[in-house]
C-alpha cells in the first residue's frame, strides 16, 4: 500500500468520532453506502494545513435502483440520526 493511501486510512480510521460515523453507516446496511465529500476531503485538508474543520453535515451516497424516491432518503437520514445525532444528507446515486 502506498504512503498516501496508508496515511489517509490512518486519518480516517484513527479518530473515534469518524469511526463512529462509519460504524453507524454500516449498521444501516445501505447497498454500496459510503461517506463521501467533506468527510474525506476535510480530513486530508485538515492534516495538510493543520486545521480542525467543524462538520456541517455528513454526506452519504448509496446505490439502490429498487427505490428511487426522495422520501426513502429522508427515512434513512432519520435512521442514521437516531443512531448518531448529526446532520446526515443521504443521496441515492441511482436517482441522480
Amino acid at each position: 500500500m502506498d504512503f498516501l493511501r496508508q496515511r489517509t486510512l490512518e486519518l480516517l480510521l484513527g479518530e473515534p468520532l469518524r469511526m463512529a460515523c462509519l460504524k453507524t453507516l454500516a449498521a444501516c446496511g445501505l447497498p454500496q453506502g459510503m461517506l463521501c465529500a467533506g468527510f474525506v476531503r476535510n480530513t486530508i485538508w485538515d492534516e495538510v494545513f493543520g486545521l480542525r474543520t467543524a462538520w456541517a453535515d455528513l454526506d452519504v451516497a448509496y446505490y439502490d435502483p429498487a427505490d428511487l424516491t426522495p422520501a426513502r432518503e429522508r427515512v434513512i437520514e432519520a435512521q442514521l440520526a437516531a443512531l448518531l445525532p448529526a446532520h446526515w444528507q443521504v443521496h441515492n446515486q441511482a436517482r441522480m
Side-chain angles (χ1 to χ4, degrees):
M1 185 178 311
D2 67 56
F3 172 77
L4 293 177
R5 182 174 180 197
Q6 179 63 37
R7 185 64 185 130
T8 300
L9 287 173
E10 289 170 0
L11 291 170
L12 290 171
L13 303 179
E15 184 179 320
L17 182 54
R18 289 191 195 284
M19 282 304 300
C21 293
L22 290 166
K23 288 178 181 179
T24 299
L25 179 59
C28 282
L30 293 176
Q32 299 180 42
M34 64 188 85
L35 277 157
C36 47
F39 185 82
V40 176
R41 180 193 63 239
N42 291 353
T43 301
I44 295 167
W45 286 0
D46 287 357
E47 174 72 5
V48 170
F49 295 107
L51 302 171
R52 184 73 176 158
T53 306
W55 296 347
D57 58 27
L58 294 166
D59 295 301
V60 174
Y62 73 104
Y63 188 85
D64 184 6
D67 188 346
L68 301 176
T69 64
R72 175 69 180 135
E73 295 170 0
R74 303 298 78 81
V75 167
I76 296 167
E77 288 171 353
Q79 290 172 336
L80 289 165
L83 294 171
L84 180 71
H87 181 70
W88 296 87
Q89 290 192 333
V90 176
H91 301 285
N92 184 354
Q93 295 303 296
R95 190 173 67 79
M96 300 292 134

